[in-house]
Amino acid sequence: NFVVLMLLSSLIASFGLLQNSAAVIIGAMLVAPLMSPLMSFSVGLTQGRLRLMRNAFWTIFIGFAIGLGVALFGGSIMPLDVPTDEMLARGEPSLLDMGVALASGAAGAYAMARRDIPSALAGVAIAAALVPPLCTIGLALSFGVYSIAYGSGLLFLTNIVCISLAGAVVFAWLGLRPSRDVYTWQQIVISVLVLGLLAFPLASTFIDVVKNDKQTGVARDVLEDYFQDADIIDVQYRD
């Protein structure tokens, strides 16, 4: 079921990105099955269960491979070779994207822990942060636009980390703890080590995003001062 749904959601998302249609992309989010493995990883992180984290990681990796393969194939057979606006929007990560991922992970964990909240709703939010950037990577690679592929890959990795960490924090807040047995300290050490491994690339990405946003803001201010009679619609900074 996971493989079939991942194939279909990646196909729909790729078509939506190529059509530049937000409605079709939203449809892909309704189908994507990425919430369960990500929340499983968060549970494993909270409890220090290495086997659960490993199984969840490989499930997420399989989903990543499927989405990337579908997008690469779709982009190679389409006559279009110019990135659409929907693709460009996911090729430049920002602090807002990081905020969306953190909120999505928190919503997913809270919905999964509460029986009276439909977890499918939170699953859509998680898919929104993962499936479009994943498909954008494959499409951009097939078009040969490597800058967008890099930006989308950075966004996808950042979202994975943010969702996992936010989910782990919410589960811990709701009272999930390592089981009380002889392996408790081992579980705590595992959790701390994995948290460190996740936090390092996230911190690096955060610094890069803040730097880019700051430089873009400076460029906007200079343009507004120089062209006082003009409206600055969009500013894109390239390092």
Side-chain angles (χ1 to χ4, degrees):
N1 291 339
F2 178 85
V3 171
V4 171
L5 290 178
M6 196 65 211
L7 280 169
L8 293 175
S9 64
S10 301
L11 190 62
I12 297 171
S14 298
F15 286 151
L17 290 167
L18 291 172
Q19 291 180 340
N20 204 34
S21 173
V24 177
I25 296 174
I26 292 173
M29 300 170 191
L30 297 172
V31 183
L34 291 172
M35 177 178 172
S36 294
L38 277 169
M39 292 299 97
S40 297
F41 188 88
S42 296
V43 170
L45 182 59
T46 306
Q47 293 190 316
R49 297 168 61 182
L50 187 58
R51 179 178 296 179
L52 179 60
M53 284 189 286
R54 184 173 61 245
N55 292 339
F57 170 80
W58 284 114
T59 303
I60 296 169
F61 180 80
I62 291 171
F64 169 80
I66 292 173
L68 185 63
V70 169
L72 278 170
F73 177 75
S76 63
I77 64 174
M78 290 292 175
L80 180 69
D81 60 355
V82 178
T84 61
D85 291 338
E86 291 290 341
M87 293 176 60
L88 292 173
R90 289 162 178 87
E92 298 177 354
S94 67
L95 290 177
L96 292 177
D97 295 315
M98 191 175 295
V100 169
L102 289 171
S104 299
Y110 191 82
M112 181 168 285
R114 300 293 183 180
R115 292 184 178 181
D116 54 337
I117 300 178
S119 60
L121 297 178
V124 173
I126 290 176
L130 295 179
V131 177
L134 173 58
C135 293
T136 300
I137 299 171
L139 292 174
L141 288 175
S142 66
F143 294 168
V145 187
Y146 301 113
S147 60
I148 295 180
Y150 173 78
S152 300
L154 188 62
L155 176 60
F156 179 80
L157 178 62
T158 302
N159 288 349
I160 286 281
V161 174
C162 287
I163 289 172
S164 300
L165 291 179
V169 170
V170 171
F171 283 132
W173 172 60
L174 292 174
L176 189 65
R177 297 289 186 274
S179 57
R180 296 182 179 277
D181 54 23
V182 295
Y183 299 106
T184 298
W185 283 108
Q186 179 182 354
Q187 293 168 333
I188 293 175
V189 170
I190 290 173
S191 294
V192 171
L193 289 176
V194 175
L195 278 172
L197 291 174
L198 293 177
F200 179 76
L202 182 60
S204 177
T205 301
F206 180 79
I207 293 173
D208 291 340
V209 170
V210 170
K211 179 182 177 181
N212 186 278
D213 286 350
K214 183 177 180 180
Q215 291 168 329
T216 301
V218 171
R220 178 182 290 274
D221 292 339
V222 171
L223 290 172
E224 288 177 346
D225 292 338
Y226 191 80
F227 301 101
Q228 296 182 1
D229 297 331
D231 294 328
I232 308 301
I233 299 175
D234 185 36
V235 176
Q236 296 182 0
Y237 176 81
R238 293 273 192 266
D239 195 356

